[in-house]
Amino acid sequence: MNARVNGIAVNFEVRGHGRPVLFIHGFPLSHQLWTPMADRLSDVCKLIMPDLRGLGRSEATESASMALYADDLNALLDDVGVTEPVTVVGLSMGGYVAFEFFRRHKQRVRAIVLADTRCQADPPEIIEVRAKTAAQVLDKGSRVVADVMINLLFAPDTPETLRAEWHGIMAGSSPIGVAAALGAMAARVDSTDTLPAIDVPTLVIVGENDGITPPRDAQFMHAAIPHAQLEVIPDVGHMTPVEDPQRFADALRAFLGTLTD
Ligand code: MLT
């Protein structure tokens, strides 16, 4: 589906019935990250799965920010007609967006799921790498990032078909959108101070072998958020919802079941 929100065309999918859950994918991925959740959870929730600005099939703009992504999603919820507070599920960069969504649209947040993400901002050396990568992507295309990311996202034993599928999705992303996302990540604020202020039920999920945002990042957030649970999924990397969809869905189903109103 397509909606014109916040000045751009946003591609998204809505499936299922019940409590609204907003699923925010990571970099440079797409809403297809959540298809295995829609296949397993559409009996317990309404899954709202957008492509972030400039990624997947949503329209790209030359610059982006966590605030802009969060405001796009806020406008999308209005467009979809969601009035009750949502559970926000963010993976990796989607988690960075979830922190910003919580700060900017707190009244809309019923619960949070932070999957394979971190609260800290980028250190200077990573900011530099992101700027160089953005320039290469604009020059040579998104394959530059896909070729690097594919070796970081998955646990070593991941089937080649899954890796090839995601390499294709990443390589097919808009170079303008990918470069803008790199800039948005580099400029994001540190969310460590937000953690104690998260006053809604929170689930922190991480793959045991996540090499991008390792379990120590999840443990740090779990310790600092007042009402947080932690789920470590064994034998998988950074792409938990597609590497072990059943474990991820079971954790989410159990968590959603604890939300009583
Ligand atoms: C992601 O998976 O969204 C990104 O790798 C996160 C990052 O680069 O910080």
Side-chain angles (χ1 to χ4, degrees), residues 152-194:
L152 304 174
L153 291 174
F154 294 99
D157 293 342
T158 305
E160 196 43 46
T161 45
L162 190 59
R163 293 163 58 88
E165 178 191 349
W166 282 98
H167 185 272
I169 290 171
M170 293 189 288
S173 311
S174 149
I176 292 173
V178 170
L182 285 161
M185 288 195 287
R188 77 186 189 278
V189 299
D190 194 295
S191 293
T192 307
D193 287 349
T194 301

Side-chain angles (χ1 to χ4, degrees), residues 85-97:
V86 295
T87 296
V88 179
V89 181
L91 181 132
S92 203
M93 185 176 89
Y96 311 159
V97 178

Side-chain angles (χ1 to χ4, degrees), residues 25-29 91-96 116-118 122 126 130 149 152-153 182 185 188 212-213 238-239:
H25 64 78
F27 168 86
L29 309 176
L91 181 132
S92 203
M93 185 176 89
Y96 311 159
D116 301 278
T117 190
R118 65 163 69 82
D122 281 353
I126 297 293
R130 301 238 203 240
M149 290 297 289
L152 304 174
L153 291 174
L182 285 161
M185 288 195 287
R188 77 186 189 278
I212 297 180
T213 50
H238 190 63
M239 295 284 273

Side-chain angles (χ1 to χ4, degrees), residues 72-219:
D72 290 347
L73 300 180
N74 184 51
L76 180 66
L77 291 177
D78 288 341
D79 188 87
V80 172
V82 172
T83 50
E84 64 181 288
V86 295
T87 296
V88 179
V89 181
L91 181 132
S92 203
M93 185 176 89
Y96 311 159
V97 178
F99 287 128
E100 197 62 42
F101 190 90
F102 177 77
R103 286 189 287 265
R104 297 172 78 80
H105 306 290
K106 188 176 186 307
Q107 75 292 349
R108 271 202 127 136
V109 181
R110 173 67 183 89
I112 300 183
V113 179
L114 297 166
D116 301 278
T117 190
R118 65 163 69 82
C119 57
Q120 294 86 2
D122 281 353
E125 62 278 13
I126 297 293
I127 292 177
E128 212 173 295
V129 171
R130 301 238 203 240
K132 281 190 190 142
T133 309
Q136 286 172 351
V137 166
L138 289 173
D139 188 30
K140 299 195 168 81
S142 299
R143 181 170 289 274
V144 170
V145 160
D147 289 348
V148 174
M149 290 297 289
I150 200 65
N151 296 315
L152 304 174
L153 291 174
F154 294 99
D157 293 342
T158 305
E160 196 43 46
T161 45
L162 190 59
R163 293 163 58 88
E165 178 191 349
W166 282 98
H167 185 272
I169 290 171
M170 293 189 288
S173 311
S174 149
I176 292 173
V178 170
L182 285 161
M185 288 195 287
R188 77 186 189 278
V189 299
D190 194 295
S191 293
T192 307
D193 287 349
T194 301
L195 303 180
I198 298 181
D199 53 0
V200 293
T202 302
L203 172 64
V204 181
I205 301 185
V206 66
E208 182 186 20
N209 301 322
D210 184 341
I212 297 180
T213 50
R216 67 170 177 277
D217 290 335
Q219 283 150 3

Side-chain angles (χ1 to χ4, degrees), residues 23-26 29-41 89-92 113-116 153-154 162 166 205-207 210 233 236-250 252:
F23 286 87
I24 316 173
H25 64 78
L29 309 176
S30 82
H31 79 278
Q32 287 159 274
L33 182 70
W34 305 114
T35 304
M37 296 305 110
D39 293 343
R40 287 166 177 80
L41 296 173
V89 181
L91 181 132
S92 203
V113 179
L114 297 166
D116 301 278
L153 291 174
F154 294 99
L162 190 59
W166 282 98
I205 301 185
V206 66
D210 184 341
I233 303 188
V236 296
H238 190 63
M239 295 284 273
T240 44
V242 292
E243 286 184 80
D244 192 346
Q246 198 54 52
R247 273 296 283 267
F248 197 103
D250 288 348
L252 215 47

